[in-house]
Amino acid sequence: MNAKQIEQFLPEFWRETALPGTPVAALLDVMAGMLAPVERQISGISMTLDPMRAAEEMLPFLARMLGMDTLTPSANGPDGQLHPSNLRVVLNEAAPLLDQRGTPAALLRALALAVGEGFSVDECPDAEASFHIAIHCPSGTETHRGLIEAAVRLMKPAHVTHDLIWSEET
């Protein structure tokens, strides 16, 4: 915002005295100079809050803001390291994922984004155990058990129990 733009917010008697070389004009120039750093910061906020463009250090903060901090690498230990590029994609898809939270489709989508394709969900695999799901995990994903558990806990309904089942290699 420059001095002329700020001047438009002043009462008419102030605008009339804001002539070049006057104290009012100097004050407006100072105000414009003080606003410049703030405007630069505000103009960069979209980059700061966009998971695809934000600095890598910002990703855990964004995950926490969206309630997805259980998917950050520090939350899962060595067996659940989510690569920052995968975390970016998961956070970018957060709105539709969280909108469909509790559905098998959202659970499968979250697992695909975080770990990869090949997961399947069986709802109530045992007739006696309603409110239970079995997640069939592709072979080779055993090393991501912590991350898979975190994604399942985040995306399934709270009252539903689950088992992780790994396919045998053929």
Side-chain angles (χ1 to χ4, degrees):
M1 186 171 276
N2 62 35
K4 276 290 183 200
Q5 292 169 322
I6 296 170
E7 184 181 323
Q8 299 307 308
F9 292 107
L10 296 176
E12 187 176 340
F13 68 90
W14 280 94
R15 286 191 303 241
E16 291 172 353
T17 60
L19 301 172
T22 63
V24 174
L27 181 62
L28 292 174
D29 287 338
V30 169
M31 290 172 71
M34 291 174 65
L35 289 174
V38 175
E39 286 182 328
R40 278 193 300 276
Q41 197 110 23
I42 289 171
S43 68
I45 197 104
S46 64
M47 190 170 106
T48 304
L49 296 178
D50 180 358
M52 301 309 278
R53 300 185 306 160
E56 191 173 315
E57 300 79 36
M58 188 69 174
L59 296 177
F61 172 76
L62 293 174
R64 187 167 186 179
M65 265 180 43
L66 295 168
M68 301 184 96
D69 51 329
T70 57
L71 299 180
T72 59
S74 60
N76 298 306
D79 66 337
Q81 295 296 315
L82 182 59
H83 193 274
S85 62
N86 288 24
L87 182 56
R88 287 181 191 281
V89 173
V90 170
L91 294 176
N92 200 45
E93 297 279 326
L97 281 176
L98 295 175
D99 186 46
Q100 296 178 3
R101 179 188 261 171
T103 65
L107 174 58
L108 291 173
R109 180 71 179 142
L111 289 169
L113 290 171
V115 181
E117 299 288 339
F119 291 89
S120 64
V121 175
D122 284 337
E123 295 183 87
C124 301
D126 182 1
E128 294 178 21
S130 57
F131 306 119
H132 183 79
I133 58 174
I135 295 103
H136 297 275
C137 308
S139 60
T141 59
E142 295 89 352
T143 57
H144 298 290
R145 182 182 192 95
L147 180 58
I148 294 167
E149 284 281 353
V152 170
R153 282 191 310 272
L154 178 68
M155 299 307 293
K156 73 173 181 67
H159 65 281
V160 173
T161 58
H162 70 277
D163 289 320
L164 299 179
I165 302 166
W166 272 271
S167 303
E168 296 295 321
E169 291 199 40
T170 55

